[in-house]
Amino acid sequence: MGKNELLQGTLDMLILKAISLGPLHGYGVLLRIQQISGGALEILQGSLYPALYRLETRGWIGSEWGESENKRRAKYYRLTAAGRRRLREETEQWNRMTSAIASVLNAVSEES
Amino acid sequence: MMPRIRAFFSALLRRRRMEDDLSTELRFHMDAYVDDLVARGTTRAEAMRRARIEFGPVEEVREECREARGLRWPDELRRNVRYALRVFRRSPAFTIAALATLALCIGANTAIFSVVDAVLLRPLPYPQPERLTMLGASMMRKGGKTGDPTLSHTGENWFLVRDHASALEAAAFSGATGVNLAAGGKAEYVRQQRVSAGFFHVLGLGPALGREFTRDEDRPGGASVAVLSHALWTRAFHGDASVLGRPIMLRGEPYTVIGVMPAGLRTSTPADVWTPLRATTNGEGGGWNYGIVARLAPGVSWAQAEAQARILGEEAGRNLHRSAGLPPDVAVSMYLVPFQSGLTGEVRTPLYVIWAAVGAVLLIGCVNVAGLLLAQGASRTREVATRIALGGGRAAVVRQLLTESLVLALCGSALGVLFGYAGVLALRRYALETMGIWQSIELNARVLGATGAMALLTSVLFGLIPALEAARTNLRPLLDRGGARGSSGGPRRWPRRVLVVGEVALSFVLLVTAGLLVRTFVNLMSLRPGFDSSGVLTAKISLLDARYSTSREVNRLMDQSLARIRALPGVTGAAAGLGLPYERPLNDGLRVLDGPGADGEFHSVNLFYITPEYFRVLRIPLLRGREIADSDGPRTAPVAVVNEAFVERFLRGQDALGTHIGGEKDSRAIVGVVGTVQQRDDWAAFVAPAPRPAVYIPVTQTEDGFLQLVHTWFEPSWIVRTSGAPQSLIPGVTRAVEAVDPLLPFAGFQTMDEVRAGSMRAQRFHAILAGTLGALALLLAAVGIYGLVANSVAARTRELGIRMALGATNGSAMGGVIAEGVGLALAGVAAGIGLSALAAGLLRSMMFGVSATDAATLAATACGLLLVAAAASFVPALRITRLNPAETLRHE
């Protein structure tokens, strides 16, 4: 997996996680994901906004207009109750899957 | 699900804002990123370049955002509409042709639908109108045919219904009669309707002032009371509420005003004043002269009421067998007729015919526009193919093309509503009086809704075939070979051919209808009137007046007023009489009393009473014997003059002069025979005038009772012949009668030419309307054939070029093309003949002097249509002569 590529569906989860730490504007979401992942995950900038709109349409995140650090009008996203539930489900599912995959990958040949 | 729907709608509603927000948000993102990059040491220009590259195509992102909001569908629609408008701008000729076609067709339909709405759809202006019914009756001889149904009843029938119909609250009414109202020293001619007690209650309308009639007032000898219409109350009494309890003089008798009805109320007929019906079982009540309206009693279903009407019908039959001498093998049945259809019965058939005709015009219009779209589709094949090849999707192409149709239909309908409004204005002037429609003709929500539905329907009708046709496009050959260069002419051609055949067939039916109706009108116009209608002024006066209840008074009035009228300058003759030519006269039963014709049978004849100059003033020729003379008086021998039709029908070759005719007791000698004039045969609006046996008797030899009876139904006419313009006599004639009786108002003046035209008004209206629609259909069909052939020539340019290069002549090439157009027209005519047979059933009752399946009309229409088709094919075929084979082939 290249640096710029994300698994299908994981972007939504990452966005929910990023926002769960506190309201963010779109650019802030991008920065936070990069920051938390230590730069390992880079998101295609163009794909961020359709994802945000999708999440908002589904009612997992809400938005309101606020003022950014440099005094400009920016749209801030926050997690809704439904979004919080969704994040929990997705995290559990992700963990189950990664541990399953990990156990497959960690399996040791009986002959070796 | 809910938040998604909410988001969709709020996004749709706040579309503009969402777009602005999205722009702001994206700009903020870019700026912030650029700022960060600059802060890290990049130059601003380089930072902006990188930001743009890393962000990706902004428009695509925006599109994906919209899609995430679920805004794809409205977006596509917007895009499609915008694209459609661009297509229309690019091909103005096509657009104008299509819009004009749709506007005319939809306009015509909108206008006619406004009449349909007024007559058939709009509920009557009474509470719960769907529970109102009229009582119909018909008689049937056992094993024979059912007689004509009637909505009129005898007094006996009415009492039966009133006293025994527990499922119905019933009331009876008469038609309106013109009478003289005198109040406050002024005389006015008003329309009086007599109604039974409870009539307004049945309709569900209470008086605005006072009360309606009681059962006591509604019986012979009851108090003379009257209820005024709101209009008359304001006009004659200035809306004065103290009018209640005041006397008015109605037909020369005092009546007490007891009520005023609310404004705008209308019963079965226009009326100014209502008085109690006072039904009887003899005289007027012995005939079928009362209408019965009823409201279903609370909780009663139509089926229950119907069942009761059937039982009452059997009872009425037993009564008629006993009292009216109805033969025992004739059964009477009674049934319910919903009030609305009862009131509009006469106009239904012509209205259905007209509605079907405009519907056919709309179909033809759709076919034409479909043809135009198919032709346009052919020239757009490459565009469509390219879109499909680029992954546009066939469904998307169909949606795009249907959107174009819809936009076209909506624009066409908008224009159509304008045309329709013009049509409504015209119909208000002509249809109201011709068809006796009394609900206003208007463009209301229902009519506009129907127009909108029509737009949607037509867009699918004319848009679907071309759209599917385009989506079938086979990509490879088109993209390979560059579109319209195939020698076979590109896409399939049969859908368009089928459309043209259908359109010719429908036009054929419309033209045949128009032809038949025009011939009906011409036949009526060319009927020999039997008299000279020019230069004659007529005026009616109601003698349903207590002061004119005797023959002596009537004669005095006529003698004195006619003497004054004869003295007016320009008057060459004046007469009075009951009944004018072309009008529906009094019917009476008479027997021939001697000679071979004396078979004891009563014959139905038209009966006129006249003053001596009647025949001379109307210039009805005297064929034998003498006219009615001044010397024929109450004390001389009773005489009569009959017309030629009477002699032919009833006298079986015997000498008319000296033959006696009469009713039960009386006897008159025939002293003269005059020519036959046209008379209307019936009350019905669509019965043509016809010559009928007639008997004329001197007014001096009439009895008081006879005059009183006939004056309740008919008004005598004053007839004046002048050497100048008839209208100019009106003031003089008015003064002449005023001098004799200042309280006797004229009911209205008409020249004899107007009376004649009035009797054919309906047929004239139908002929003009059908002619207009037929012409429109012919034009559309011609345009359709022209378009098809023109297209065929254009698409086959290369093939024709090759053929001509190989030695084909202009003539043979053109012949082939024209044959196609004419061949399709032939097929259309053949189909049209079949359709006409179906239409004939509907038209039969509207014909006069021509059969609804008249072969000459069919043949003439077929020839005319084929000629037009040939011409419409010839014009585009001429283009072939301008083809240059070398030029055409060089394009290979």
Side-chain angles (χ1 to χ4, degrees):
Chain A
M1 197 192 286
K3 187 179 157 191
N4 285 331
E5 287 174 64
L6 277 175
L7 264 180
Q8 188 88 38
T10 49
L11 177 58
D12 289 3
M13 191 173 65
L14 292 176
I15 293 173
L16 291 176
K17 180 66 194 175
I19 295 174
S20 74
L21 304 173
L24 286 172
H25 48 65
Y27 185 61
V29 173
L30 194 76
L31 292 181
R32 184 167 290 171
I33 293 174
Q34 282 176 359
Q35 173 209 334
I36 302 174
S37 68
L41 290 174
E42 194 164 324
I43 294 165
L44 209 60
Q45 297 187 21
S47 65
L48 177 67
Y49 286 91
L52 282 169
Y53 272 69
R54 197 161 50 239
L55 293 173
E56 191 179 6
T57 305
R58 288 180 184 171
W60 293 333
I61 60 177
S63 68
E64 58 249 316
W65 287 91
E67 208 168 67
S68 73
E69 314 81 56
N70 50 5
K71 307 287 174 216
R72 285 192 51 178
R73 231 165 78 82
K75 197 174 173 190
Y76 280 88
Y77 294 93
R78 59 180 165 71
L79 211 57
T80 63
R84 205 166 294 285
R85 270 199 306 280
R86 177 74 190 177
L87 177 60
R88 201 159 47 235
E89 285 163 19
E90 288 222 10
T91 315
E92 281 165 13
Q93 207 179 344
W94 177 262
N95 288 340
R96 266 201 308 279
M97 197 169 75
T98 45
S99 65
I101 292 174
S103 55
V104 170
L105 294 180
N106 292 339
V108 183
S109 164
E110 283 182 19
E111 277 142 46
S112 62
Chain B
M1 202 59 205
M2 273 320 285
R4 216 182 292 187
I5 294 170
R6 209 167 328 126
F8 173 79
F9 279 110
S10 68
L12 196 62
L13 290 172
R14 283 170 292 166
R15 186 56 203 262
R16 166 101 333 143
R17 222 183 102 201
M18 188 207 124
E19 291 289 332
D20 290 348
D21 284 357
L22 186 56
S23 304
T24 314
E25 193 174 11
L26 296 184
R27 207 176 316 116
F28 172 81
H29 179 107
M30 290 288 215
D31 292 349
Y33 190 38
V34 168
D35 287 349
D36 279 2
L37 287 176
V38 170
R40 272 183 251 154
T42 324
T43 65
R44 182 155 285 271
E46 172 63 12
M48 280 168 76
R49 200 182 66 87
R50 267 184 61 191
R52 267 201 303 276
I53 292 172
E54 286 181 35
F55 193 85
V58 178
E59 205 32 61
E60 211 163 275
V61 169
R62 296 178 66 114
E63 187 56 37
E64 278 177 48
C65 288
R66 280 179 215 127
E67 204 173 316
R69 271 287 154 85
L71 284 176
R72 220 186 96 132
W73 169 77
D75 251 10
E76 184 185 330
L77 183 65
R78 256 161 55 125
R79 217 170 35 236
N80 282 347
V81 168
R82 212 175 302 142
Y83 188 77
L85 292 177
R86 209 154 57 221
V87 168
F88 297 152
R89 264 201 303 279
R90 257 206 325 255
S91 38
F94 157 81
T95 311
I96 289 171
L99 280 182
T101 305
L102 286 170
L104 279 174
C105 297
I106 291 181
N109 273 274
T110 302
I112 295 302
F113 190 79
S114 71
V115 179
V116 172
D117 173 60
V119 176
L120 305 177
L121 301 180
R122 196 170 330 143
L124 297 174
Y126 311 115
Q128 288 192 289
E130 73 286 349
R131 290 182 70 77
L132 283 173
T133 179
M134 283 175 99
L135 226 59
S138 62
M139 297 195 213
M140 194 178 68
R141 194 174 285 276
K142 270 201 191 76
K145 309 198 300 201
T146 312
D148 287 337
T150 175
L151 291 171
S152 308
H153 292 271
T154 61
E156 207 164 37
N157 278 5
W158 157 232
F159 292 136
L160 183 70
V161 172
R162 184 187 69 184
D163 299 335
H164 299 288
S166 53
L168 300 169
E169 293 176 65
F173 57 92
S174 72
T177 329
V179 297
N180 309 319
L181 167 82
K186 274 193 302 184
E188 187 177 356
Y189 176 84
V190 298
R191 286 154 304 177
Q192 174 203 20
Q193 185 183 26
R194 291 179 304 125
V195 301
S196 73
F199 178 74
F200 297 108
H201 173 74
V202 167
L203 292 186
L205 299 164
L209 274 181
R211 58 173 178 89
E212 65 171 305
F213 311 123
T214 62
R215 281 285 276 274
D216 267 342
E217 288 157 348
D218 181 30
R219 65 175 49 136
S224 293
V225 288
V227 170
L228 307 181
S229 78
H230 197 271
L232 178 64
W233 179 54
T234 12
R235 191 168 69 230
F237 301 95
H238 313 293
D240 182 0
S242 72
V243 73
L244 291 184
R246 280 229 300 259
I248 53 170
M249 295 298 281
L250 211 52
R251 37 160 118 166
E253 289 170 68
Y255 277 75
T256 310
V257 177
I258 59 159
V260 175
M261 292 312 291
L265 170 121
R266 147 108 199 210
T267 62
S268 61
T269 176
D272 302 300
V273 59
W274 292 274
T275 58
L277 179 66
R278 294 181 186 161
T280 52
T281 51
N282 48 32
E284 177 194 49
W288 297 72
N289 288 316
Y290 302 131
I292 300 179
V293 61
R295 185 177 283 281
L296 304 197
V300 169
S301 71
W302 278 89
Q304 289 166 322
E306 285 276 6
Q308 191 164 62
R310 264 197 306 280
I311 296 168
L312 288 172
E314 290 163 17
E315 184 61 31
R318 278 191 288 278
N319 283 343
L320 285 164
H321 292 139
R322 201 175 51 238
S323 63
L326 189 73
D329 62 334
V330 176
V332 175
S333 64
M334 275 199 204
Y335 47 88
L336 302 183
V337 178
F339 197 32
Q340 183 146 22
S341 28
L343 289 180
T344 56
E346 278 166 10
V347 300
R348 279 179 179 240
T349 304
L351 187 54
Y352 283 141
V353 171
I354 294 168
W355 199 11
V358 281
V361 169
L362 181 64
L363 269 181
I364 296 173
C366 285
V367 167
N368 250 7
V369 177
L372 286 170
L373 279 173
L374 276 176
Q376 231 221 350
S379 62
R380 282 171 70 185
T381 340
R382 275 199 85 190
E383 172 206 329
V384 169
T386 312
R387 289 181 57 166
I388 295 175
L390 291 178
R394 284 171 201 269
V397 169
V398 171
R399 278 203 300 275
Q400 161 66 42
L401 293 175
L402 277 181
T403 310
E404 284 174 26
S405 307
L406 187 66
V407 170
L408 209 53
L410 287 176
C411 295
S413 307
L415 288 173
V417 168
L418 294 182
F419 273 111
Y421 188 64
V424 164
L425 293 182
L427 285 170
R428 269 190 201 150
R429 282 188 50 192
Y430 299 109
L432 283 174
E433 52 177 344
T434 308
M435 307 185 82
I437 300 161
W438 57 276
Q439 301 227 58
S440 64
I441 299 178
E442 55 193 37
L443 284 185
N444 57 19
R446 192 170 20 237
V447 175
L448 293 178
T451 307
M454 228 152 22
L456 289 180
L457 183 72
T458 51
S459 71
V460 173
L461 275 181
F462 70 67
L464 199 58
I465 292 180
L468 294 177
E469 194 57 26
R472 280 182 70 257
T473 305
N474 193 359
L475 298 183
R476 288 295 297 275
L478 284 166
L479 294 175
D480 285 355
R481 294 171 52 197
R485 290 169 71 190
S487 53
S488 66
R492 294 180 307 170
R493 294 168 43 76
W494 70 261
R496 217 175 152 191
R497 290 190 176 139
V498 170
L499 289 180
V500 168
V501 169
E503 143 177 273
V504 171
L506 285 171
S507 314
F508 181 81
V509 177
L510 278 179
L511 285 169
V512 166
T513 307
L516 292 172
L517 289 171
V518 168
R519 286 190 61 184
T520 292
F521 178 60
V522 169
N523 283 343
L524 285 172
M525 282 301 285
S526 56
L527 282 179
R528 206 172 52 84
F531 71 105
D532 180 4
S533 65
S534 62
V536 175
L537 181 71
T538 76
K540 284 196 188 327
I541 294 179
S542 167
L543 292 185
L544 180 57
D545 198 310
R547 296 172 303 146
Y548 296 99
S549 58
T550 64
S551 182
R552 212 165 54 92
E553 282 304 314
V554 171
N555 275 288
R556 193 187 58 85
L557 171 72
M558 287 180 177
D559 284 347
Q560 293 182 358
S561 58
L562 289 175
R564 284 173 186 271
I565 290 169
R566 283 188 199 105
L568 293 172
V571 170
T572 58
L578 190 77
L580 288 173
Y582 286 110
E583 285 186 347
R584 194 271 195 188
L586 170 70
N587 274 184
D588 202 5
L590 281 180
R591 291 184 296 182
V592 178
L593 297 176
D594 38 35
D599 50 10
E601 284 243 8
F602 276 90
H603 304 296
S604 168
V605 300
N606 291 335
L607 185 67
F608 301 80
Y609 73 63
I610 58 173
T611 63
E613 265 189 90
Y614 185 88
F615 299 120
R616 252 171 294 149
V617 171
L618 287 173
R619 293 191 180 144
I620 298 172
L622 176 72
L623 303 177
R624 309 187 44 210
R626 65 168 177 91
E627 297 182 11
I628 304 288
D630 288 327
S631 56
D632 293 315
R635 272 173 290 278
T636 61
V639 296
V641 170
V642 297
N643 67 2
E644 216 177 359
F646 183 95
V647 175
E648 280 162 14
R649 187 86 66 86
F650 302 131
L651 291 187
R652 310 192 185 167
Q654 79 193 65
D655 188 7
L657 302 183
T659 298
H660 286 78
I661 54 174
E664 292 287 355
K665 298 182 282 272
D666 56 325
S667 159
R668 299 177 174 274
I670 297 175
V671 295
V673 178
V674 292
T676 305
V677 298
Q678 304 292 334
Q679 302 287 162
R680 168 163 278 175
D681 214 1
D682 204 301
W683 284 119
F686 296 102
V687 173
R692 294 245 304 155
V695 173
Y696 300 86
I697 59 173
V699 65
T700 49
Q701 296 181 344
T702 53
E703 289 176 8
D704 299 348
F706 169 80
L707 287 182
Q708 285 163 22
L709 184 65
V710 299
H711 285 163
T712 55
W713 302 316
F714 296 97
E715 295 152 358
S717 295
W718 270 242
I719 309 159
V720 187
R721 181 169 284 281
T722 168
S723 46
Q727 298 283 2
S728 66
L729 281 178
I730 293 176
V733 172
T734 310
R735 273 195 307 276
V737 174
E738 257 174 18
V740 179
D741 182 347
L743 288 182
L744 202 58
F746 272 109
F749 288 87
Q750 268 190 310
T751 66
M752 205 54 228
D753 285 325
E754 285 166 350
V755 172
R756 180 173 182 225
S759 72
M760 300 168 203
R761 202 158 49 197
Q763 287 82 2
R764 189 183 134 91
F765 175 66
H766 293 156
I768 291 175
L769 198 60
T772 310
L773 293 178
L776 188 57
L778 183 63
L779 178 72
L780 290 176
V783 170
I785 292 172
Y786 173 90
L788 179 93
V789 174
N791 230 257
S792 154
V793 172
R796 288 164 62 191
T797 309
R798 180 166 163 272
E799 178 205 333
L800 290 168
I802 294 173
R803 278 170 51 180
M804 287 166 74
L806 292 177
T809 58
N810 276 342
S812 70
M814 279 173 66
V817 173
I818 294 174
E820 184 188 7
V822 176
L824 291 178
L826 256 177
V829 167
I833 290 177
L835 284 176
S836 304
L838 295 176
L842 203 53
L843 285 171
R844 196 158 290 129
S845 67
M846 298 168 70
M847 296 291 109
F848 176 81
V850 56
S851 143
T853 51
D854 182 56
T857 308
L858 287 177
T861 310
C863 291
L865 201 48
L866 288 176
L867 272 178
V868 169
S873 313
F874 181 74
V875 174
L878 273 179
R879 231 181 275 172
I880 293 173
T881 61
R882 294 198 297 270
L883 275 185
N884 180 343
E887 183 86 7
T888 318
L889 294 177
R890 207 171 301 132
H891 279 302
E892 260 308 85

